[in-house]
Amino acid sequence: MQYISTRGNAPVLSFEEAMLSGLARDGGLYVPESIPQMSVADIRALHGQSYEETAFRVMRPFVGDSFSDEVFSDLITKAYAGFGHGARAPLVQLAPGHFLLELFHGPTLAFKDFAMQLIGQMFQEALSRRGERVTIVGATSGDTGSAAIEAFRGLASVDVFILYPHGRVSEVQRRQMTTPVEDNVHALALEGDFDDCQARLKDMFNHFEFRDSVRLAGVNSINWARVLAQVVYYFSAAASLGAPDRQISFTVPTGNFGDIFAGYIAKRMGLPIDRLIVATNQNDILHRCLSSGDYVTDTVTPSISPSMDIQVSSNFERVLFDAYGRDGKAVAQLMDELKSGGGFRVSQGALQALQEDFDSGRVSEEQTLAMIQHANQNMGELLCPHSAIGVDVAEKLRDHRTPMVTLATAHPAKFPDAVHQASGIRPPLPNRMADLYERSERLTQVPNDLAALETLIQERIAQ
Ligand SMILES: *Cc1c(COP(=O)(O)O)cnc(C)c1O
């Protein structure tokens, strides 16, 4: 299995190489050259399997010969051993025909643990085999950073630097990044918003001299291995609700388009998914684009669902690549327009292709709070604000013939203020992290400046 860039102008890589490098050298994102298929019989055979076994069968064809069967299976087992629920991604019912996929039972209480825990295992295995060391730099709106730190803390072959927007993440998110004591963990509070963090990260990757000198590796949702790990729970959920003999729809609270893109890959692999519904907060570039074809960036307005406070949705490039018939030149041109003019217009044909798979909806702050309260009173579920946005859009857009699965992307205790404001309940942290508020914090405040960041990283890894 080989991986190609969405901009058509970077070396073709193996799974392991694509995982270790993150962003392609032409600025594009790696995607598989072709999509492996799961037959009706393959999907039926998932009924009753463990999450780990499902993960092995779904991901195996994408990994090629980067890991042997035995090693890969072992890495999957280790990745999910620290989860607080035996089903890993349990489904609960909210209403007739509407189900919630709880993706918050990992060590940092958000769905990002599904990919990050596995990536940590795969990096460690690949790097120790190669006798190499890497510097991981990630940008986060909150949850990626804590998930990455949790997955890489204490690993001998990795330094991990996380850029987060100063003052714009929740206290639990910040503490999960600033309280680990391991020397290889560096939490950097950047003076700017998430898009600034993401832009500086991209700049570092495009500065090849720096990139090569520190052996930069990326674990943001642009990393293909992360998308791949997230494909699994679409299969596990759909199989438990009757796939392949029934169509299933999914609603996904969306920011960087990584999670929902994994659902799109599941569909391309043969999973009978009817609709994929993008749910956004007031930062609604994806909703506007899927409705009108205009992808135009706006300023980011901070919200009570901070992990979705995004205006430039990195993974959208991957689906554009398909919508433009895998024409890398066309994608590169759109991305140039985005960089120079702040936006682009999707062609009529590409928009039609996108609308065949995706619907979208946008939820205001008031509606989000109202849904947290409504779900608590009428659905028996205390939702985090991101998940509430998903449930709200799903309730409005679902048809009542096809089962709807909404992805619950974080535990309510990760966003206690908003949940308390809406419901009057302050959700407690699970026992295993109950002392989070007492641990001491360690962070470095940094300017929104590429050169300063690069110097800091070089100094830290030289120590
Ligand atoms: C990251 C995150 C999202 C958005 O996921 P994308 O893959 O960026 O679309 C939604 N909710 C929570 C809680 C998150 O951490």
Side-chain angles (χ1 to χ4, degrees), residues 41-42 79 158 193 197 210 212 248 253 269 279 313 434 450:
D42 291 338
V158 174
D193 60 27
C197 295
F210 173 76
D212 294 338
I248 314 286
M269 289 174 73
S313 232
L450 181 64

Side-chain angles (χ1 to χ4, degrees), residues 3 15-21 55-56 59-60 62-80 113-132 134 136 151-152 155 157-158 217-219 223-230 232:
Y3 289 81
F15 175 80
E16 180 173 311
E17 291 162 339
M19 173 180 82
L20 291 175
S21 59
F56 180 82
M59 292 190 285
R60 187 71 193 95
F62 290 93
V63 172
D65 49 18
S66 293
F67 302 109
S68 70
D69 282 0
E70 206 183 340
V71 167
F72 189 48
S73 164
D74 189 42
L75 297 178
I76 292 170
T77 303
K78 285 193 211 145
Y80 300 115
D113 289 324
F114 276 89
M116 214 61 87
Q117 286 292 317
L118 182 62
I119 271 213
Q121 295 296 329
M122 293 194 295
F123 263 70
Q124 183 176 25
E125 174 70 24
L127 290 170
S128 66
R129 176 174 7 93
R130 291 163 165 242
E132 289 175 13
V134 296
I136 287 174
F152 289 97
L155 294 190
S157 44
V158 174
V219 295
N223 192 308
W224 167 258
R226 275 191 57 193
V227 173
L228 178 59
Q230 293 167 187
V232 175

Side-chain angles (χ1 to χ4, degrees), residues 110-112 143 253-259 307-308 310 386 409-410 415:
F111 81 91
K112 304 218 167 53
D143 294 327
T254 304
N256 237 334
F257 209 78
D259 208 4
S307 304
M308 294 154 62
I310 286 169
H386 312 77
T409 50
F415 303 93

